[in-house]
Amino acid sequence: MRRTTLRRTAVAASAVSLALLVSACGSDEPAKGAKDEPKGKASAPAAPGANAKALPQAELDKLVLTQSDLKDHKIEAPSAVDVAAAKTVGSDKAECKVLTDIMGLRAPGSAAATVARKIVPIAKPLPADASAEEKMKAGMGAIGATVTVDTLGSYDGKGGVDAVAALKKAGADCAGGFTMDAGGTKTKVTKVETGSYTAGDEALAFTLTVDMEGTPGTGQLVAVRKGSTVATFYSQSLTGKAEQPKAVIEAQVKKLG
């Protein structure tokens, strides 16, 4: 895949810079003995009352994942470039905007406080005597790594419930696809399919098929609500199909309590 294709797909499909993918496989060393958290279990749906209060920004900031929570992944706050690019991400269909909001580092609905992180697995370091072929494969693996945008939004009243409901409706309304626009660069999402994920008070998941200049790729979108806080995750591989980032989701849901 050409470099221009990678750069365009990175911005339009996930608003995550290619530089993050490259740096994630540089000098960082994988954590020793890092393990995935136990899989989240669903509880009976619980809707916050009308008087529920959103968490203050300072408290929400403490709940988002940090490097110590998931040591075998690189976790970074969005850069100024990412934030600027994210502001340009939109949809040609109003009913699909809530989906592109999540792809563009934004919480769905009317969140009172939000925080986002970019997360990518850390590649294992190559041995000193690695061959040129091994180095090439490692480089391609870095470019094809699954990048995840983890966004938390905290809501007053039933705002979190309404945000998840809006996402569910968008998944149905946009099943036939839509076009994302990121700063004038347009990318076609040809299909939105309902997936499966169970955690928190309620959860939903979608698989998005993205046209990467004639080659189909897949993105994964998951939302989990716990009380008045909604965690959303969008994952994209720049070279093909992304899988649900279960280790990331489970670690984040566990930290929400």
Side-chain angles (χ1 to χ4, degrees), residues 3-183:
R3 180 176 298 233
T4 53
T5 301
L6 291 173
R7 185 179 298 112
R8 183 154 58 249
T9 303
V11 174
S14 59
V16 177
S17 66
L18 182 59
L20 176 65
L21 289 176
V22 176
S23 64
C25 296
S27 61
D28 294 277
E29 296 183 358
K32 297 179 180 180
K35 298 180 180 179
D36 291 348
E37 302 293 346
K39 188 171 183 178
K41 296 181 179 179
S43 57
N51 295 323
K53 296 295 183 182
L55 295 175
Q57 185 67 55
E59 290 189 25
L60 193 66
D61 289 345
K62 293 177 182 178
L63 291 176
V64 75
L65 289 176
T66 65
Q67 197 65 63
S68 62
D69 298 315
L70 208 58
K71 296 180 180 179
D72 55 353
H73 288 65
K74 187 178 184 69
I75 300 176
E76 292 185 345
S79 68
V81 172
D82 294 322
V83 173
K87 290 180 179 179
T88 71
V89 178
S91 169
D92 65 331
K93 297 180 180 178
E95 60 270 29
C96 305
K97 180 180 180 297
V98 67
L99 298 175
T100 56
D101 280 347
I102 292 172
M103 295 161 138
L105 300 166
R106 299 187 293 271
S110 301
T114 67
V115 62
R117 292 292 182 267
K118 303 182 303 181
I119 304 173
V120 64
I122 295 174
K124 294 181 179 179
L126 290 172
D129 60 349
S131 66
E133 182 179 359
E134 288 173 327
K135 291 178 180 178
M136 182 182 68
K137 287 182 178 179
M140 291 302 296
I143 293 174
T146 295
V147 182
T148 299
V149 174
D150 172 12
T151 304
L152 301 184
S154 192
Y155 302 78
D156 287 317
K158 297 178 65 179
V161 175
D162 293 342
V164 174
L167 271 174
K168 184 175 182 180
K169 184 176 186 301
D173 291 346
C174 304
F178 58 93
T179 298
M180 290 183 295
D181 190 321

Side-chain angles (χ1 to χ4, degrees), residues 156-248:
D156 287 317
K158 297 178 65 179
V161 175
D162 293 342
V164 174
L167 271 174
K168 184 175 182 180
K169 184 176 186 301
D173 291 346
C174 304
F178 58 93
T179 298
M180 290 183 295
D181 190 321
T185 298
K186 296 183 179 181
T187 301
K188 180 70 176 179
V189 175
T190 59
K191 187 187 304 183
V192 179
E193 298 176 280
T194 300
S196 176
Y197 199 84
T198 302
D201 296 324
E202 58 179 329
L204 54 78
F206 301 111
T207 297
L208 287 69
T209 301
V210 181
D211 182 358
M212 300 168 71
E213 294 196 344
T215 301
T218 57
Q220 299 291 334
L221 191 154
V222 175
V224 178
R225 181 181 65 81
K226 296 202 77 173
S228 62
T229 299
V230 177
T232 58
F233 309 86
Y234 181 69
S235 297
Q236 182 81 43
S237 169
L238 303 190
T239 57
K241 298 181 179 180
E243 302 294 333
Q244 279 187 355
K246 293 183 178 180
V248 174

